[in-house]
Amino acid sequence: MSDIRVRFAPSPTGYLHIGGLRTALYNYLFARQNGGKFILRIEDTDRTRFVEGALENLINSLKWAGVEYDEGVFLDESGKVVEKGDCGPYIQSVRQSQGIYDEYIEKLLESGHAYYCFCTKERLDNLREQQKSDGIIPRYDGLCRSVSLEEAKQRIANGEEYVIRLKLPVNTDIVVEDLVKGKIVINTNDMDDQVLIKSDGFPTYHFAVVVDDHLMGITHIVRGDEWLPSTPKHVYLYEAFGWDTPVFVHLPTVLNKFRKKLSKRNDDVSVDDFINQGYTAQGLVNYLALVGWSPEGNDEILSMDELIKQFSFNRVSKTGGIFDRDKLNWVNAHYIREMSDEDLASKIKPYLQEAKMIDDAYPQEKLNLLAATFKESLDRLMDITEQAAFLFEDKVEITEEDAIEYSSKDHVSDLASAFIEELSGIEEVDLEFAKTVMKKIQKQTGIKGKDLFMPVRALLTGKVHGPELVNVIELLGKDKLIKRLEGLK
Ligand code: GLU
């Protein structure tokens, strides 16, 4: 049994971000590879940023992606938030209400690693303004460092408002060893006396994260590199408590193709966006694993099991992983092609229904045939509505140059008549008819090869290339076929 314990610790401030899913995934892969445990902890101490429903969205998104965790916060069948594991509670606001952080802040106050600060917002604002105009980085000036614990307790008893700050030693190097980023050294003279407990009594992220990671036995902290600048504070807190520091692994930020951080305005950022567009869980997960990590071999189509086998922090890149939509589509298309027709049919159905192309009465065999017909050409499930649109319209517009040329050849009316004649002899188009009709038309008209197939294709689909003609004929059915051929008789 391995002692490895990792965690994903999102704040419920909205949907699950695609970068967050990658962080969760890397944690999961590392835990599974090493027989360790993966924990989901909710960091909701910033009450001003809490968003209703965000917690449920987080949990459901992870579940959809197949990123499973062993301990932490889950939803039961009725959608109620429940917890599992021996290190709970796993929600920081609940931990706060149970007084878990009080004990630890008390220790730091007693040992002189933290102090009460009574500076008003007004004083801090003025200080910041002054520092800015003096051209120095705004930082707390340490006024309350000299307030004794005794005096502080007196002032609190008198009803003064306060926060509690970390008391950093002066001119001391703090060393962060990061598995991906390497060694980082920062001097405390360049650091701020971080607030650990806010005036509302809630711990800040920096304090809660250290206490909880320690109490939950976390061995490796795997998170986005936006937290790297905060890590020296955390390292100092571990030292102040006399606790072992976990291993730090900071992951490169996910960037768009312009090498900019993904933004809600210009990019799809939430896992929901990708789900709605019809990326498969396997496709998205497989691709995300490659954003910032690369396998040793050339094969980039990797199942979850393969990823678990091959993943390693050694091959995580130091700087930005580029999110490449074309590559994601290529990976996703692979997983769509691997689906059975029935499975794909059930997955494209909601998109077709939403676009009002089909209703509940649409026969299952036709839906399966649709799936089979477009399986090779779909990058995402949502693409079905665009690609299959011509099948559901009464008429097709022939706009492609080649299609116009083929559909206006002299012999086209003969083809159309022969086709219509074949149709007149049947009740409805079935597979047998669809398979044999072109041969029959060839026999009847003597037209063959490109001169036969291209015009028929153009008339039926508007294009000279596209899905299997046999499938198109069967999917269109008698009425639609006649409508498309009739104008040309
Ligand atoms: N709560 C932080 C977040 O929202 C977690 C950072 C960490 O993993 O330490 O990303």
Side-chain angles (χ1 to χ4, degrees):
M1 250 300 284
S2 137
D3 295 330
I4 283 176
R5 289 172 65 82
V6 291
R7 79 334 184 245
F8 178 51
S11 300
T13 55
Y15 49 80
L16 177 58
H17 188 282
I18 197 75
L21 178 57
R22 189 199 55 177
T23 299
L25 174 66
Y26 285 9
N27 272 287
Y28 166 83
L29 296 175
F30 181 66
R32 289 292 171 272
Q33 183 178 68
N34 293 288
K37 291 273 183 277
F38 178 32
I39 292 139
L40 176 69
R41 182 177 69 227
I42 302 301
E43 303 205 324
D44 61 344
T45 58
D46 187 349
R47 304 307 292 166
T48 58
R49 294 179 61 220
F50 183 80
V51 171
E52 205 59 55
L55 175 55
E56 289 76 6
N57 177 276
L58 275 166
I59 295 175
N60 286 328
S61 301
L62 291 174
K63 192 167 177 197
W64 173 84
V67 174
E68 293 164 356
Y69 45 94
D70 309 291
E71 293 176 26
V73 184
F74 297 79
L75 295 176
D76 71 8
E77 300 91 68
S78 65
K80 213 177 90 207
V81 174
V82 290
E83 298 201 345
K84 207 179 91 185
D86 298 332
C87 295
Y90 292 91
I91 300 179
Q92 285 185 332
S93 58
V94 181
R95 296 174 71 75
Q96 193 266 347
S97 69
Q98 294 189 357
I100 290 177
Y101 305 110
D102 299 347
E103 182 189 331
Y104 292 93
I105 200 64
E106 215 41 63
K107 278 191 183 164
L108 291 185
L109 286 164
E110 291 295 333
S111 65
H113 290 97
Y115 60 96
Y116 289 101
C117 172
F118 299 93
C119 291
T120 59
K121 185 179 175 301
E122 197 190 358
R123 176 174 187 273
L124 294 174
D125 286 346
N126 290 338
L127 177 66
R128 192 174 314 115
E129 283 316 310
Q130 186 58 49
Q131 288 171 329
K132 269 194 201 158
S133 67
D134 292 348
I136 48 177
I137 300 170
R139 189 174 299 149
Y140 181 58
D141 62 356
L143 181 71
C144 292
R145 284 171 75 110
S146 55
V147 178
S148 72
L149 203 49
E150 230 181 14
E151 185 193 333
K153 294 223 159 119
Q154 192 55 51
R155 287 171 74 171
I156 293 165
N158 291 344
E160 263 191 74
E161 273 217 1
Y162 65 91
V163 298
I164 301 175
R165 289 182 185 272
L166 176 62
K167 193 174 202 170
L168 286 170
V170 286
N171 194 20
T172 305
D173 280 346
I174 309 268
V175 180
V176 177
E177 297 276 1
D178 188 273
L179 222 53
V180 170
K181 307 277 177 176
K183 184 172 168 175
I184 292 143
V185 182
I186 178 160
N187 192 279
T188 50
N189 287 355
D190 297 321
M191 291 165 66
D192 212 350
D193 277 356
Q194 177 68 47
V195 172
L196 302 178
I197 302 290
K198 295 178 276 187
S199 55
D200 63 3
F202 272 86
T204 55
Y205 155 72
H206 303 286
F207 184 57
V209 78
V210 170
V211 171
D212 289 348
D213 282 336
H214 173 74
L215 293 180
M216 293 181 185
I218 301 302
T219 57
H220 295 69
I221 295 183
V222 183
R223 64 185 169 199
D225 62 5
E226 68 270 30
W227 300 106
L228 191 60
S230 308
T231 307
K233 291 173 206 167
H234 304 173
V235 167
Y236 183 68
L237 276 169
Y238 281 97
E239 277 174 26
F241 279 118
W243 295 337
D244 286 342
T245 335
V247 177
F248 289 102
V249 187
H250 284 93
L251 308 173
T253 311
V254 179
L255 304 175
N256 66 20
K257 63 178 173 197
F258 306 111
R259 300 196 151 262
K260 292 257 150 58
K261 249 178 102 161
L262 297 182
S263 76
K264 229 198 229 174
R265 190 191 268 223
N266 302 316
D267 308 283
D268 290 319
V269 286
S270 80
V271 174
D272 278 349
D273 290 336
F274 292 88
I275 297 177
N276 293 338
Q277 290 169 24
Y279 287 96
T280 62
Q282 299 99 311
L284 188 62
V285 160
N286 183 163
Y287 175 66
L288 266 186
L290 304 172
V291 180
W293 169 80
S294 55
E296 241 167 80
N298 289 330
D299 194 0
E300 293 192 301
I301 297 293
L302 300 165
S303 66
M304 196 66 110
D305 284 346
E306 269 310 316
L307 289 172
I308 292 170
K309 260 191 230 150
Q310 296 195 27
F311 183 74
S312 94
F313 290 132
N314 292 338
R315 298 187 62 87
V316 169
S317 62
K318 266 198 171 97
T319 51
I322 307 283
F323 195 89
D324 174 350
R325 204 36 107 98
D326 293 338
K327 189 156 170 187
L328 167 64
N329 288 349
W330 173 78
V331 172
N332 198 60
H334 166 87
Y335 289 96
I336 289 183
R337 286 199 302 274
E338 280 208 331
M339 284 183 205
S340 69
D341 294 349
E342 291 71 23
D343 193 12
L344 182 56
S346 72
K347 292 207 161 74
I348 55 176
K349 190 174 177 183
Y351 292 91
L352 294 164
Q353 282 187 319
E354 169 87 24
K356 307 242 175 325
M357 289 179 174
I358 64 168
D359 55 22
D360 262 338
Y362 195 73
Q364 186 62 44
E365 315 89 75
K366 274 203 156 186
L367 202 56
N368 293 348
L369 182 61
L370 256 180
T373 306
F374 293 97
K375 200 190 266 183
E376 294 293 322
S377 57
L378 295 178
D379 286 340
R380 307 166 295 178
L381 300 171
M382 77 179 286
D383 297 338
I384 189 67
T385 54
E386 204 188 306
Q387 293 187 17
F390 74 91
L391 291 171
F392 299 97
E393 282 150 10
D394 276 340
K395 274 197 177 143
V396 280
E397 295 266 357
I398 305 180
T399 50
E400 235 181 48
E401 211 178 295
D402 285 352
I404 294 173
E405 195 187 319
Y406 274 109
S407 62
S408 45
K409 295 216 168 174
D410 289 345
H411 67 271
V412 170
S413 60
D414 292 345
L415 289 180
S417 301
F419 205 141
I420 290 173
E421 202 181 310
E422 292 300 331
L423 283 165
S424 67
I426 57 159
E427 193 77 12
E428 189 41 277
V429 172
D430 59 11
L431 180 61
E432 189 49 32
F433 176 88
K435 271 186 169 167
T436 52
V437 66
M438 296 302 284
K439 272 237 159 66
K440 288 182 183 157
I441 297 171
Q442 180 181 329
K443 232 182 185 169
Q444 216 174 302
T445 60
I447 303 164
K448 55 183 182 198
K450 269 194 166 179
D451 286 336
L452 169 64
F453 282 91
M454 293 303 198
V456 171
R457 222 177 223 298
L459 295 184
L460 299 186
T461 71
K463 304 211 163 88
V464 287
H465 297 291
E468 221 28 82
L469 195 55
V470 173
N471 296 22
V472 171
I473 292 171
E474 197 183 346
L475 283 167
L476 280 171
K478 185 172 171 177
D479 290 350
K480 282 213 167 67
L481 284 169
I482 291 179
K483 269 194 197 138
R484 281 168 204 216
L485 297 163
E486 230 162 21
L488 284 138
K489 234 182 343 168

